[in-house]
Amino acid sequence: MTLLIKCIHLPFSFSSRMVSPAIALAFLPLLLTLIIRYRYYFVLFYRAVLVRIWKDCVTGLSREERAFQYVLTNSTPGDPDSILDAFDYWCSKVEFISNIGPKKGKILDRLLMEQNPLTVLELGAHCGYSAVRIARALPLGARLYSIEMDQGNAAIAEKIIRLAGFDDDTVELIVNPSDEVIPRLRSDYNLERLDFVFMDHWKKCYLPDLQLLEGYGLLGKGSMIVADNVLFPGAPKFLRYLRKCGLYEWKIHRATLEYSRGIRDGMAELIYQGIK
């Protein structure tokens, strides 16, 4: 009886071992299709996550500190264009850092020139790249207030901004969460109205911060708000609000993710129309 049972089970075990490679081969085309289709996302994950973890361990420095060291040794102090060029090279060729980058940056440059703002608020300074980009486009006498909640990033941003040649009268860096600073802009910073707002911080904060700006009366008719990365990683609640609220004329400037190919992204441009 035991021998019979073994004989009965033998073909089943043998066929199972034979089927497994066949199943694996059947799934191979699907796997290759997924790799090809999402290859840009795999590359982004490698550059933004894996390389960062490895270099954090090897150097003992943060990614932002490594970026600053590169910019410091490969740019001309007092020359904003040189600072941005060095930053762009490092982010595209060395390590990935999420900032507006050169392609979407040109859209931001054009909007700033068209708006010619005197009072600008930036939400999310990170390393100071966009602060430098904004500050170099401002007219004489204009001022940028840049908010960054992370103290380490703010320290790097401060160095980058000053290296580019902008003093505290042109760019004031405020180190605190945006939802704590916005309610105090009128009382602590004597801001009555913002001509231009650039959002590039946590995407989940876009909507509540926009509503704070509205609620505290910091937007006037014609105030412009530009929000980066509204398609990737995306700000769906923010976009739904724009569609429903009726307070803005708005559109999406479609582009690709900074320092990446094949990942669709976009910036939202809003013009405040006031309460109707």
Side-chain angles (χ1 to χ4, degrees):
M1 179 64 70
T2 303
L3 181 61
L4 179 60
I5 292 173
K6 288 183 179 179
C7 291
I8 292 173
H9 281 280
L10 182 60
F12 176 77
S13 301
F14 178 75
S15 61
S16 297
R17 289 194 295 270
M18 292 299 294
V19 169
S20 296
I23 294 175
L25 287 173
F27 279 99
L28 186 58
L30 175 61
L31 179 62
L32 291 174
T33 300
L34 291 174
I35 291 174
I36 293 170
R37 182 173 180 179
Y38 296 105
R39 62 191 182 279
Y40 298 115
Y41 297 91
F42 289 127
V43 171
L44 178 62
F45 177 76
Y46 169 76
R47 295 191 64 228
V49 179
L50 298 183
V51 171
R52 178 182 183 177
I53 292 172
W54 176 63
K55 290 200 173 182
D56 283 353
C57 295
V58 170
T59 65
L61 301 173
S62 70
R63 178 181 56 179
E64 290 74 19
E65 289 170 327
R66 293 192 294 275
F68 171 69
Q69 286 188 347
Y70 181 87
V71 172
L72 182 63
T73 56
N74 291 275
S75 64
T76 304
D79 183 350
D81 292 344
S82 173
I83 303 293
L84 295 176
D85 288 344
F87 229 127
D88 286 333
Y89 183 87
W90 193 87
C91 292
S92 60
K93 302 296 184 181
V94 184
E95 288 188 62
F96 177 87
I97 281 187
S98 178
N99 55 55
I100 192 171
K103 293 182 179 179
K104 288 184 291 182
K106 290 180 180 179
I107 300 173
L108 178 63
D109 296 344
R110 176 174 57 80
L111 295 175
L112 285 163
M113 290 182 64
E114 292 173 359
Q115 193 74 357
N116 203 34
L118 290 177
T119 307
V120 181
L121 177 68
E122 178 185 38
L123 301 178
H126 198 187
C127 292
Y129 177 96
S130 51
V132 171
R133 188 150 207 133
I134 293 170
R136 72 170 184 172
L138 295 181
L140 188 65
R143 194 171 194 191
L144 167 63
Y145 298 84
S146 183
I147 299 174
E148 173 57 49
M149 67 175 292
D150 185 280
Q151 292 187 355
N153 290 345
I156 299 298
E158 181 88 29
K159 294 175 183 177
I160 291 287
I161 292 165
R162 306 312 171 209
L163 183 67
F166 299 111
D167 60 21
D168 196 53
D169 290 332
T170 303
V171 182
E172 181 169 352
L173 192 62
I174 305 170
V175 187
N176 257 321
S178 54
D179 60 349
E180 294 181 12
V181 176
I182 291 173
R184 298 189 285 108
L185 286 175
R186 190 182 298 274
S187 60
D188 293 5
Y189 299 91
N190 299 315
L191 290 177
E192 296 296 325
R193 168 195 159 118
L194 295 167
D195 300 319
F196 195 101
V197 179
F198 179 58
M199 294 183 170
D200 196 14
H201 55 330
W202 291 105
K203 312 315 164 194
K204 65 180 181 181
C205 297
Y206 280 15
L207 178 55
D209 282 354
L210 181 65
Q211 292 174 324
L212 277 176
L213 293 171
E214 296 167 1
Y216 282 90
L218 292 163
L219 302 177
K221 186 174 175 61
S223 293
M224 178 179 286
I225 300 97
V226 176
D228 194 17
N229 303 126
V230 294
L231 300 183
F232 184 87
K237 292 182 179 179
F238 176 78
L239 294 180
R240 282 197 297 269
Y241 176 75
L242 297 183
R243 295 186 187 101
K244 294 179 180 179
C245 71
L247 298 177
Y248 302 91
E249 290 182 359
W250 66 283
K251 60 183 176 182
I252 301 292
H253 296 276
R254 295 185 179 273
T256 55
L257 183 68
E258 54 272 11
Y259 312 114
S260 180
R261 294 188 303 163
I263 299 178
R264 295 179 181 179
D265 191 18
M267 296 196 306
E269 174 196 339
L270 294 62
I271 304 293
Y272 186 66
Q273 300 301 306
I275 298 174
K276 298 179 181 179

